[in-house]
Structures are given as C-alpha cells and as structure tokens.
C-alpha cells in the first residue's frame, strides 16, 4: 500500500488529528488545485478540479493545522459524490 493510499484510508477512518497538509496531499492526488484568490478571502480556500469543474470549499484551520470533524465528514461526502472514494 502506497503512502497516499494509507493517507486515504486514514481519512476514511475519521481521525481527530487529520492535518490540512494531509488534506492537500489527498486532494492533489485526485487532481484538485488549491485556490486562494483574494487577500480578503482570509481563511477561506477552495480546491478546484479542472476535469470535472468541481469545487470543494472550506476554512483553513487556525492555530492548530487540524481539520474539524465536520470538515472531514463533508470532505468524505464530497469525494464519494465525485466517485473518488468508495
């Protein structure tokens, strides 16, 4: 099992300590690019996948770079809807 496959499996287990960097690695593997368009966007970021024109939006975590539980749930749901996760 490759590192990215292990990371995806870790995400699917709803960890309490899943980092923003781990999220970026997974989304990059699925063809998403991080977009932070304006200075006024603050902590809001979007991940865009050109092939499907799909966008995942979320707030970048502050202080601790760990995603909140609801963010992980929404992320998994979005990736399942795009048939990227089973």
């Amino acid at each position: 099992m490759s590192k990215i496959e292990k990371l995806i499996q870790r995400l699917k287990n709803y960890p309490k300590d899943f980092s923003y960097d781990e999220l970026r690695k997974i989304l990059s593997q699925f063809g998403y690019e991080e977009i932070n368009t304006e200075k006024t966007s603050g902590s809001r970021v979007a991940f865009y996948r050109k092939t499907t024109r799909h966008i995942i939006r979320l707030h970048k975590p502050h202080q601790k770079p760990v995603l909140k539980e609801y963010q992980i749930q929404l992320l998994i749901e979005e990736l399942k809807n795009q048939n990227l996760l089973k």
Side-chain angles (χ1 to χ4, degrees):
M1 187 179 277
S2 72
K3 286 183 181 182
I4 195 69
E5 289 171 330
K6 288 179 183 178
L7 202 54
I8 291 168
Q9 190 60 42
R10 179 169 140 67
L11 173 69
K12 290 164 70 174
N13 289 326
Y14 297 90
K16 300 231 181 259
D17 61 346
F18 200 77
S19 75
Y20 185 77
D21 285 337
E22 290 173 313
L23 165 74
R24 288 173 46 201
K25 287 177 187 175
I26 287 175
L27 291 180
S28 175
Q29 182 69 26
F30 288 136
Y32 286 87
E33 295 177 29
E34 185 175 4
I35 300 170
N36 194 352
T37 55
E38 301 175 20
K39 290 181 181 180
T40 59
S41 68
S43 65
R44 293 177 300 181
V45 293
F47 291 90
Y48 178 69
R49 188 172 188 222
K50 287 182 184 181
T51 56
T52 59
R53 295 185 173 173
H54 184 249
I55 298 173
I56 297 175
R57 299 179 200 280
L58 57 99
H59 282 89
K60 193 172 181 179
H62 293 288
Q63 295 160 346
K64 290 184 181 180
V66 177
L67 298 175
K68 298 194 183 302
E69 186 178 341
Y70 80 92
Q71 291 175 309
I72 292 173
Q73 290 172 349
L74 290 174
L75 177 65
I76 290 172
E77 185 178 315
E78 285 289 325
L79 294 175
K80 284 183 178 180
N81 289 340
Q82 294 297 309
N83 296 318
L84 298 171
L85 287 183
K86 295 179 183 178

